PDB file of all heavy atoms in Angstrom:
ATOM      1  N   ARG Z  97     -13.056  -6.538  -4.411  1.00 95.00           N
ATOM      2  CA  ARG Z  97     -13.385  -5.118  -4.298  1.00 95.00           C
ATOM      3  C   ARG Z  97     -12.549  -4.327  -5.302  1.00 95.00           C
ATOM      4  O   ARG Z  97     -11.670  -4.875  -5.963  1.00 95.00           O
ATOM      5  CB  ARG Z  97     -13.126  -4.642  -2.863  1.00 95.00           C
ATOM      6  CG  ARG Z  97     -14.052  -5.304  -1.858  1.00 95.00           C
ATOM      7  CD  ARG Z  97     -13.771  -4.899  -0.431  1.00 95.00           C
ATOM      8  NE  ARG Z  97     -12.523  -5.454   0.057  1.00 95.00           N
ATOM      9  CZ  ARG Z  97     -12.212  -5.548   1.353  1.00 95.00           C
ATOM     10  NH1 ARG Z  97     -13.069  -5.137   2.252  1.00 95.00           N
ATOM     11  NH2 ARG Z  97     -11.058  -6.051   1.730  1.00 95.00           N
ATOM     12  N   ASN Z 113      -4.358  -7.534  -2.927  1.00 93.00           N
ATOM     13  CA  ASN Z 113      -4.687  -7.058  -1.581  1.00 93.00           C
ATOM     14  C   ASN Z 113      -6.120  -6.575  -1.452  1.00 93.00           C
ATOM     15  O   ASN Z 113      -6.612  -6.368  -0.352  1.00 93.00           O
ATOM     16  CB  ASN Z 113      -3.695  -5.980  -1.117  1.00 93.00           C
ATOM     17  CG  ASN Z 113      -3.752  -4.713  -1.949  1.00 93.00           C
ATOM     18  OD1 ASN Z 113      -4.796  -4.063  -2.044  1.00 93.00           O
ATOM     19  ND2 ASN Z 113      -2.635  -4.333  -2.540  1.00 93.00           N
ATOM     20  N   ILE Z 116      -8.160  -9.139   0.568  1.00 93.00           N
ATOM     21  CA  ILE Z 116      -7.908  -9.338   1.998  1.00 93.00           C
ATOM     22  C   ILE Z 116      -8.954  -8.567   2.792  1.00 93.00           C
ATOM     23  O   ILE Z 116      -9.107  -7.364   2.611  1.00 93.00           O
ATOM     24  CB  ILE Z 116      -6.491  -8.866   2.379  1.00 93.00           C
ATOM     25  CG1 ILE Z 116      -5.442  -9.681   1.628  1.00 93.00           C
ATOM     26  CG2 ILE Z 116      -6.277  -8.984   3.883  1.00 93.00           C
ATOM     27  CD1 ILE Z 116      -4.025  -9.208   1.848  1.00 93.00           C
ATOM     28  N   ILE Z 117      -9.655  -9.257   3.657  1.00 91.00           N
ATOM     29  CA  ILE Z 117     -10.786  -8.653   4.357  1.00 91.00           C
ATOM     30  C   ILE Z 117     -10.380  -7.468   5.231  1.00 91.00           C
ATOM     31  O   ILE Z 117     -11.176  -6.555   5.484  1.00 91.00           O
ATOM     32  CB  ILE Z 117     -11.527  -9.729   5.198  1.00 91.00           C
ATOM     33  CG1 ILE Z 117     -12.958  -9.286   5.477  1.00 91.00           C
ATOM     34  CG2 ILE Z 117     -10.765 -10.066   6.474  1.00 91.00           C
ATOM     35  CD1 ILE Z 117     -13.829 -10.377   6.048  1.00 91.00           C
ATOM     36  N   LEU Z 118      -9.113  -7.451   5.679  1.00 89.00           N
ATOM     37  CA  LEU Z 118      -8.640  -6.359   6.531  1.00 89.00           C
ATOM     38  C   LEU Z 118      -8.364  -5.084   5.750  1.00 89.00           C
ATOM     39  O   LEU Z 118      -8.272  -3.999   6.336  1.00 89.00           O
ATOM     40  CB  LEU Z 118      -7.356  -6.788   7.261  1.00 89.00           C
ATOM     41  CG  LEU Z 118      -7.477  -8.014   8.170  1.00 89.00           C
ATOM     42  CD1 LEU Z 118      -6.102  -8.471   8.614  1.00 89.00           C
ATOM     43  CD2 LEU Z 118      -8.343  -7.692   9.378  1.00 89.00           C
ATOM     44  N   ASN Z 119      -8.203  -5.195   4.438  1.00 91.00           N
ATOM     45  CA  ASN Z 119      -7.919  -4.027   3.604  1.00 91.00           C
ATOM     46  C   ASN Z 119      -9.212  -3.445   3.048  1.00 91.00           C
ATOM     47  O   ASN Z 119      -9.815  -4.024   2.147  1.00 91.00           O
ATOM     48  CB  ASN Z 119      -6.989  -4.404   2.436  1.00 91.00           C
ATOM     49  CG  ASN Z 119      -5.594  -4.730   2.908  1.00 91.00           C
ATOM     50  OD1 ASN Z 119      -5.180  -4.331   3.981  1.00 91.00           O
ATOM     51  ND2 ASN Z 119      -4.856  -5.469   2.099  1.00 91.00           N
ATOM     52  N   THR Z 120      -9.628  -2.326   3.568  1.00 93.00           N
ATOM     53  CA  THR Z 120     -10.859  -1.688   3.090  1.00 93.00           C
ATOM     54  C   THR Z 120     -10.582  -0.358   2.394  1.00 93.00           C
ATOM     55  O   THR Z 120     -11.509   0.336   1.989  1.00 93.00           O
ATOM     56  CB  THR Z 120     -11.833  -1.442   4.251  1.00 93.00           C
ATOM     57  OG1 THR Z 120     -11.190  -0.644   5.250  1.00 93.00           O
ATOM     58  CG2 THR Z 120     -12.276  -2.766   4.873  1.00 93.00           C
ATOM     59  N   ILE Z 121      -9.293  -0.028   2.265  1.00 94.00           N
ATOM     60  CA  ILE Z 121      -8.928   1.218   1.585  1.00 94.00           C
ATOM     61  C   ILE Z 121      -7.799   0.965   0.592  1.00 94.00           C
ATOM     62  O   ILE Z 121      -7.058  -0.013   0.714  1.00 94.00           O
ATOM     63  CB  ILE Z 121      -8.485   2.316   2.582  1.00 94.00           C
ATOM     64  CG1 ILE Z 121      -7.293   1.835   3.408  1.00 94.00           C
ATOM     65  CG2 ILE Z 121      -9.631   2.740   3.480  1.00 94.00           C
ATOM     66  CD1 ILE Z 121      -6.754   2.872   4.351  1.00 94.00           C
ATOM     67  N   CYS Z 122      -7.687   1.845  -0.390  1.00 95.00           N
ATOM     68  CA  CYS Z 122      -6.574   1.811  -1.342  1.00 95.00           C
ATOM     69  C   CYS Z 122      -5.488   2.739  -0.816  1.00 95.00           C
ATOM     70  O   CYS Z 122      -5.715   3.951  -0.676  1.00 95.00           O
ATOM     71  CB  CYS Z 122      -7.048   2.272  -2.724  1.00 95.00           C
ATOM     72  SG  CYS Z 122      -5.696   2.465  -3.923  1.00 95.00           S
ATOM     73  N   CYS Z 127      -8.435   6.163  -0.466  1.00 95.00           N
ATOM     74  CA  CYS Z 127      -9.892   6.173  -0.571  1.00 95.00           C
ATOM     75  C   CYS Z 127     -10.429   4.778  -0.291  1.00 95.00           C
ATOM     76  O   CYS Z 127      -9.694   3.791  -0.367  1.00 95.00           O
ATOM     77  CB  CYS Z 127     -10.345   6.663  -1.939  1.00 95.00           C
ATOM     78  SG  CYS Z 127      -9.847   5.623  -3.321  1.00 95.00           S
ATOM     79  N   TYR Z 128     -11.717   4.699   0.040  1.00 95.00           N
ATOM     80  CA  TYR Z 128     -12.329   3.412   0.359  1.00 95.00           C
ATOM     81  C   TYR Z 128     -12.476   2.541  -0.879  1.00 95.00           C
ATOM     82  O   TYR Z 128     -12.705   3.038  -1.982  1.00 95.00           O
ATOM     83  CB  TYR Z 128     -13.703   3.622   0.989  1.00 95.00           C
ATOM     84  CG  TYR Z 128     -13.648   4.103   2.421  1.00 95.00           C
ATOM     85  CD1 TYR Z 128     -13.937   5.423   2.737  1.00 95.00           C
ATOM     86  CD2 TYR Z 128     -13.315   3.231   3.463  1.00 95.00           C
ATOM     87  CE1 TYR Z 128     -13.895   5.876   4.051  1.00 95.00           C
ATOM     88  CE2 TYR Z 128     -13.259   3.673   4.773  1.00 95.00           C
ATOM     89  CZ  TYR Z 128     -13.550   4.993   5.063  1.00 95.00           C
ATOM     90  OH  TYR Z 128     -13.488   5.430   6.360  1.00 95.00           O
ATOM     91  N   LEU Z 129     -12.370   1.223  -0.659  1.00 96.00           N
ATOM     92  CA  LEU Z 129     -12.656   0.254  -1.711  1.00 96.00           C
ATOM     93  C   LEU Z 129     -14.161  -0.015  -1.762  1.00 96.00           C
ATOM     94  O   LEU Z 129     -14.866   0.177  -0.772  1.00 96.00           O
ATOM     95  CB  LEU Z 129     -11.909  -1.055  -1.440  1.00 96.00           C
ATOM     96  CG  LEU Z 129     -10.380  -0.988  -1.384  1.00 96.00           C
ATOM     97  CD1 LEU Z 129      -9.809  -2.338  -0.962  1.00 96.00           C
ATOM     98  CD2 LEU Z 129      -9.796  -0.551  -2.721  1.00 96.00           C
ATOM     99  N   HIS Z 130     -14.642  -0.463  -2.914  1.00 96.00           N
ATOM    100  CA  HIS Z 130     -16.053  -0.795  -3.105  1.00 96.00           C
ATOM    101  C   HIS Z 130     -16.165  -2.251  -3.545  1.00 96.00           C
ATOM    102  O   HIS Z 130     -15.294  -2.770  -4.239  1.00 96.00           O
ATOM    103  CB  HIS Z 130     -16.675   0.114  -4.166  1.00 96.00           C
ATOM    104  CG  HIS Z 130     -16.671   1.566  -3.785  1.00 96.00           C
ATOM    105  ND1 HIS Z 130     -17.763   2.214  -3.266  1.00 96.00           N
ATOM    106  CD2 HIS Z 130     -15.678   2.500  -3.837  1.00 96.00           C
ATOM    107  CE1 HIS Z 130     -17.466   3.478  -3.021  1.00 96.00           C
ATOM    108  NE2 HIS Z 130     -16.203   3.675  -3.353  1.00 96.00           N
ATOM    109  N   ILE Z 170      -9.932   9.589   2.341  1.00 91.00           N
ATOM    110  CA  ILE Z 170      -9.495   9.598   3.737  1.00 91.00           C
ATOM    111  C   ILE Z 170      -8.217  10.430   3.805  1.00 91.00           C
ATOM    112  O   ILE Z 170      -7.350  10.324   2.933  1.00 91.00           O
ATOM    113  CB  ILE Z 170      -9.187   8.171   4.227  1.00 91.00           C
ATOM    114  CG1 ILE Z 170     -10.351   7.235   3.896  1.00 91.00           C
ATOM    115  CG2 ILE Z 170      -8.904   8.156   5.725  1.00 91.00           C
ATOM    116  CD1 ILE Z 170     -10.001   5.772   4.050  1.00 91.00           C
ATOM    117  N   PHE Z 176      -6.507   5.457  10.636  1.00 88.00           N
ATOM    118  CA  PHE Z 176      -6.965   4.309   9.856  1.00 88.00           C
ATOM    119  C   PHE Z 176      -5.963   3.975   8.740  1.00 88.00           C
ATOM    120  O   PHE Z 176      -5.648   2.810   8.506  1.00 88.00           O
ATOM    121  CB  PHE Z 176      -8.337   4.627   9.273  1.00 88.00           C
ATOM    122  CG  PHE Z 176      -9.038   3.454   8.654  1.00 88.00           C
ATOM    123  CD1 PHE Z 176      -8.891   2.179   9.164  1.00 88.00           C
ATOM    124  CD2 PHE Z 176      -9.864   3.620   7.555  1.00 88.00           C
ATOM    125  CE1 PHE Z 176      -9.546   1.095   8.603  1.00 88.00           C
ATOM    126  CE2 PHE Z 176     -10.515   2.545   6.979  1.00 88.00           C
ATOM    127  CZ  PHE Z 176     -10.353   1.278   7.509  1.00 88.00           C
ATOM    128  N   THR Z 180      -3.689   0.545   8.545  1.00 92.00           N
ATOM    129  CA  THR Z 180      -3.760  -0.306   7.354  1.00 92.00           C
ATOM    130  C   THR Z 180      -2.366  -0.547   6.778  1.00 92.00           C
ATOM    131  O   THR Z 180      -2.042  -1.656   6.348  1.00 92.00           O
ATOM    132  CB  THR Z 180      -4.668   0.328   6.291  1.00 92.00           C
ATOM    133  OG1 THR Z 180      -5.980   0.531   6.837  1.00 92.00           O
ATOM    134  CG2 THR Z 180      -4.786  -0.563   5.065  1.00 92.00           C
TER     135      THR Z 180
END
Side-chain angles (χ1 to χ4, degrees):
R97 295 177 289 198
N113 65 59
I116 298 175
I117 202 169
L118 300 170
N119 290 339
T120 57
I121 58 177
C122 173
C127 63
Y128 285 105
L129 299 174
H130 297 261
I170 310 167
F176 190 34
T180 302

